[in-house]
Amino acid sequence: MPPRHLADLSADERRVAVTELGEKPFRAKQLAHHYFGRLTADVESMTDIPAASRARLAEKLLPPLLTPVRHLDTDKGATRKTLWRAHDGTLLESVLMRYPDRATVCISSQAGCGMACPFCATGQGGLQRNLSTAEIVDQVRSAAAMMRDGEIPGGPGRLSNVVFMGMGEPLANYRRVIDAVHRICDPVPNGLGLSQRSVTVSTVGLVPAIRKLTEEGLQVTLAVSLHTPDDELRDTLVPVNNRWKVSEVLQAARGYAERTGRRVSIEYALIRDVNDQPWRADLLGRKLHQHLGQYAHVNLIPLNPTPGSEWDASPKPVEREFVRRVREAGVPCTVRDTRGQEIAAACGQLAAEG
Ligand code: SF4
């Protein structure tokens, strides 16, 4: 794991850490204001802190975490994918997408992923390690700074949304992800000040972790990567289904929806001749209606094929028919726009290339 960083700590823990370094407790708030409020980790710019203290505090609480290896821009610059290198050489990625009405960053929670979904580039490499809370938060801070500084065409703007849909299974890195949500959403200077409702945490369906999340008292959107409504196919498409079946996952999701009043986003990567049949659309609609009622929303993701892979996206007419059938069952269904296709946006592909 990386060295301890300011963003790993709660406000109380930051005060203790600063005091242990022989500094006055209020320095914790100053540091937090620079990092979360001014979005900077550059200690030299923190001129309200005496130079001697700055060096000490920087060394112990602001170690460099993520270095950009390269940026890849597409969609006329409105989408920027960043490949990061962590202190130990681990590679991870995040994608910032600017839309007319919002700006969303898709972040990684793990380097690699242990869930082994066969259609996913990240899954093929296995799990390297969990990311620390600060490594997760720092992806968001960087995106917020890029928006504020007008690095994405359209002038200076504000980062509005965060989705945990980059590399990794967020709920397999549970504590650090929850702590990161607090740092992302707590008001400045304790956090970056985004609204919890603008944060989406995705999962392949780790049922005990969904139940735990239900008890956290958060308002984040839960996204369940279902990918098929039947256990037979899901056992191979999303291998964790061998532990927790479709109905158990949907029941846990319903518990979350009822507690929070939030709709659950059902993610479905549409794969040609694998999970795109009309009968599967009907079954999906029926099951979601039965288990989630008005709390379900289906988000179809046209698969972005990895070079050399046997998995391909469904033809558009098949996609349209799938949408129609799900909607006919009374379940809202939309197709996600595929930002970043030209920059190898299939999950994990960029980091896998190194
Ligand atoms: S699809 Fe998501 S959960 Fe599955 S292997 Fe890829 S990153 Fe992991």
Side-chain angles (χ1 to χ4, degrees):
M1 287 308 251
R4 183 180 69 166
H5 184 281
L6 188 78
D8 287 314
L9 308 176
S10 67
D12 287 345
E13 291 166 340
R14 288 197 290 269
R15 265 190 302 278
V16 172
V18 162
T19 318
E20 279 171 4
L21 293 171
E23 297 288 340
K24 296 270 190 302
F26 71 87
R27 298 270 180 240
K29 202 163 182 178
Q30 283 179 311
L31 278 182
H33 182 75
H34 286 293
Y35 182 84
F36 294 111
R38 288 184 55 232
L39 306 174
T40 183
D42 170 24
V43 265
E44 291 314 311
S45 73
M46 302 178 184
T47 47
D48 55 346
I49 304 174
S53 304
R54 247 186 270 159
R56 189 165 41 234
L57 289 168
E59 187 197 337
K60 296 293 183 195
L61 287 172
L62 287 168
L65 287 181
L66 302 178
T67 315
V69 179
R70 64 169 175 263
H71 298 296
L72 280 172
D73 292 336
T74 187
D75 302 319
K76 299 198 174 75
T79 300
R80 167 174 282 195
K81 187 163 189 162
T82 306
L83 177 68
W84 303 100
R85 181 177 285 116
H87 79 294
D88 57 355
T90 300
L91 296 172
L92 57 123
E93 62 191 16
S94 53
V95 186
L96 175 57
M97 293 157 282
R98 185 174 198 165
Y99 301 89
D101 60 335
R102 66 188 194 281
T104 301
V105 67
C106 174
I107 57 170
S108 298
S109 56
Q110 299 182 307
C113 182
M115 296 296 136
C117 305
F119 59 89
C120 165
T122 301
Q124 306 319 297
L127 176 66
Q128 286 166 267
R129 70 166 169 84
N130 284 320
L131 299 187
S132 69
T133 297
E135 284 173 323
I136 297 169
V137 175
D138 210 42
Q139 295 171 63
V140 182
R141 180 194 63 85
S142 299
M146 282 180 209
M147 282 303 296
R148 180 201 56 196
D149 297 342
E151 287 185 34
I152 308 296
R158 206 179 63 84
L159 180 73
S160 55
N161 296 72
V162 175
V163 295
F164 282 80
M165 291 188 183
M167 303 168 76
E169 159 57 43
L171 297 188
N173 189 13
Y174 187 85
R175 200 60 253 165
R176 294 181 194 93
V177 164
I178 299 299
D179 286 348
V181 168
H182 285 292
R183 295 302 114 71
I184 292 165
C185 299
D186 284 355
V188 177
N190 287 328
L192 294 165
L194 275 84
S195 134
Q196 287 185 9
R197 288 169 170 255
S198 315
V199 174
T200 299
V201 175
S202 73
T203 179
V204 279
L206 309 188
V207 167
I210 296 174
R211 295 213 183 97
K212 216 160 133 193
L213 181 67
T214 306
E215 303 303 322
E216 296 282 350
L218 294 171
Q219 279 287 309
V220 295
T221 301
L222 177 68
V224 174
S225 302
L226 199 66
H227 302 320
T228 189
D230 56 304
D231 285 316
E232 195 185 348
L233 175 60
R234 199 167 191 267
D235 280 349
T236 56
L237 219 47
V238 185
V240 77
N241 199 69
N242 290 286
R243 293 270 301 276
W244 297 289
K245 297 296 175 195
V246 170
S247 59
E248 290 175 85
V249 174
L250 294 180
Q251 265 162 30
R254 170 146 199 139
Y256 185 82
E258 282 178 341
R259 178 68 63 88
T260 57
R262 312 272 297 139
R263 272 203 315 197
V264 175
S265 184
I266 302 293
E267 309 295 309
Y268 200 108
L270 209 57
I271 312 172
R272 182 180 204 140
D273 298 333
V274 173
N275 64 354
D276 62 355
Q277 301 82 354
W279 71 265
R280 278 209 162 86
D282 294 342
L283 184 63
L284 178 69
R286 266 204 314 282
K287 281 206 177 172
L288 292 182
H289 199 71
Q290 175 197 345
H291 287 285
L292 279 167
Q294 82 274 25
Y295 291 119
H297 178 276
V298 174
N299 191 22
L300 279 190
I301 309 159
L303 189 82
N304 188 12
T306 7
S309 161
E310 63 191 279
W311 310 90
D312 203 357
S314 300
K316 283 291 157 194
V318 174
E319 181 185 291
R320 277 194 291 274
E321 177 63 7
F322 199 95
V323 172
R324 194 189 66 75
R325 284 176 181 259
V326 174
R327 285 184 182 159
E328 208 170 68
V331 178
C333 179
T334 45
V335 179
R336 185 198 284 178
D337 82 315
T338 44
R339 277 291 185 96
Q341 284 246 337
E342 301 138 47
I343 51 167
C347 179
Q349 211 168 300
L350 189 60
E353 283 168 9

